[in-house]
Amino acid sequence: MKIITKPLELKEYLSAQCKTVGFVPTMGALHEGHVSLIRNAKKDNELVVVSIFVNPTQFLKGEDLDKYPSRHEADTKICSISGVDVLFLPNREDMYGSDEATLQAPKVRGYVLEGATRPGHFSGVLTVVMKLLNIVNPSKAYFGKKDAQQLNLVTLMVKQLFMSVEIVPVNTVRESDGLALSSRNMYLSASERKDALKISKSLHLASRMIMENSLNVEEIKLKMREILAPLEVSYVEILNRDFEVIQKVEIAKSVVLVEAMVGNTRLLDNIWV
Ligand code: AMP
């Protein structure tokens, strides 16, 4: 596995390879969810690039930028064992200048749900994804459905800016008890870890209600909130796959989303129904 830290060196290296490139952008502290993205990329492409970059512009003031988990050695080993060809580890100075053009997330879709609790977060996400895609120039880039709004906005950006990469959604990987894998799960104490299960349980309930043909969005959200209590819930929402408000679940065309604080840790999860 080749490790590259300089954006222009990576760009030159990849263009000399003349191979189809699959790209998996991450912030590190890798787990089985990330490995699943890598496996999908390996299946579809001749060469796989993984980036690890804790992007400062997507963190708001007071968020966990400085204490975001960093597992450099373990991450390198995971990438190498998973068959990653190139690990890209840029530093902040090489990714950002002091005064530069940035992308602005869509004024509506980028400022609801997670964008409402973290205003400006998605502008940072889109800016860094755009930079990374321009450096790697992949045929396909892999994003987890776990971050459904991010996936939606990146897919929209690629379409609206007429970019030629294909965005490939990958299913959420969970622990055996249902908790969605997340780098931030490391912050949870044993009792918080237990409380966090309320999130996947509430989603499970929603999917059961929908299977039983109980499709009223408000009723489902109410029942979910009963399970989620007493967690501090940022939002419980059921939307169509374009992230538009609906009154009645459209089967196989909707997504149920939850964001809640468990202690000081913000966790999100969703199911596609
Ligand atoms: P992160 O390192 O948290 O920025 O995540 C990097 C990529 O991994 C994103 O596309 C996430 O959606 C994806 N991802 C994170 N957790 C999971 C999971 N449990 N299952 C599948 N993909 C995930």
Side-chain angles (χ1 to χ4, degrees):
M1 182 176 75
K2 208 170 164 58
I3 296 180
I4 295 181
T5 59
K6 298 291 175 194
L8 292 181
E9 187 188 335
L10 178 61
K11 215 171 156 70
E12 264 172 37
Y13 175 77
L14 291 173
S15 62
Q17 299 296 306
C18 295
K19 287 182 175 167
T20 57
V21 174
F23 177 45
V24 179
T26 81
M27 297 207 299
L30 302 181
H31 50 63
E32 271 301 315
H34 299 112
V35 172
S36 172
L37 303 191
I38 294 169
R39 280 204 201 103
N40 277 274
K42 293 261 335 154
K43 191 161 51 72
D44 301 342
N45 303 277
E46 292 166 324
L47 203 144
V48 172
V49 179
V50 170
S51 65
I52 297 180
F53 180 60
V54 180
N55 171 41
T57 63
Q58 71 189 66
F59 287 77
L60 273 65
K61 261 206 180 94
E63 290 189 341
D64 56 345
L65 172 63
D66 294 328
K67 67 176 178 87
Y68 195 83
S70 164
R71 302 279 184 278
H72 178 68
E73 240 174 73
D75 285 353
T76 307
K77 218 178 257 174
I78 289 170
C79 286
S80 165
I81 291 169
S82 308
V84 170
D85 299 287
V86 182
L87 177 56
F88 179 44
L89 302 171
N91 62 37
R92 286 182 197 170
E93 293 68 37
D94 288 328
M95 288 296 283
Y96 287 104
S98 54
D99 181 30
E100 58 173 38
T102 55
L103 271 170
Q104 170 67 49
K107 293 264 185 327
V108 178
R109 289 176 204 232
Y111 289 84
V112 292
L113 304 171
E114 198 185 356
T117 43
R118 308 176 73 189
H121 165 71
F122 286 115
S123 296
V125 169
L126 294 182
T127 299
V128 80
V129 169
M130 171 66 107
K131 282 174 183 266
L132 289 166
L133 290 174
N134 284 340
I135 295 165
V136 177
N137 194 24
S139 324
K140 298 184 180 183
Y142 296 77
F143 287 82
K145 288 183 178 178
K146 157 129 183 330
D147 298 287
Q149 192 176 8
Q150 168 176 283
L151 170 62
N152 177 263
L153 290 170
V154 168
T155 307
L156 200 67
M157 170 180 83
V158 160
K159 185 172 167 220
Q160 291 179 331
L161 298 186
F162 303 100
M163 297 163 69
S164 43
V165 60
E166 181 189 339
I167 302 300
V168 183
V170 178
N171 287 336
T172 301
V173 178
R174 299 173 180 282
E175 304 271 13
S176 54
D177 60 8
L179 182 69
L181 297 188
S182 162
S183 306
R184 289 192 167 99
N185 291 351
M186 288 181 198
Y187 298 151
L188 301 173
S189 68
S191 72
E192 288 172 346
R193 166 77 179 64
K194 238 169 140 186
D195 285 344
L197 283 180
K198 288 174 186 293
I199 297 174
S200 52
K201 280 188 181 146
S202 73
L203 291 170
H204 188 70
L205 170 83
S207 106
R208 227 181 41 225
M209 288 180 76
I210 292 163
M211 274 192 314
E212 289 164 1
N213 220 29
S214 178
L215 305 177
N216 183 297
V217 163
E218 284 312 313
E219 272 174 29
I220 300 171
K221 282 164 55 174
L222 215 67
K223 291 278 177 211
M224 288 177 71
R225 280 186 179 272
E226 284 173 16
I227 292 191
L228 288 162
L231 293 183
E232 186 193 318
V233 177
S234 315
Y235 58 79
V236 175
E237 209 43 89
I238 303 179
L239 304 172
N240 70 17
R241 299 276 170 91
D242 289 324
F243 273 68
E244 292 159 345
V245 173
I246 48 175
Q247 312 300 326
K248 199 174 157 204
V249 175
E250 300 163 13
I251 292 182
K253 288 184 184 160
S254 307
V255 56
V256 186
L257 306 115
V258 177
E259 183 184 288
M261 295 299 291
V262 181
N264 291 322
T265 307
R266 180 190 306 282
L267 295 180
L268 30 123
D269 199 353
N270 60 75
I271 44 163
W272 299 40
V273 289

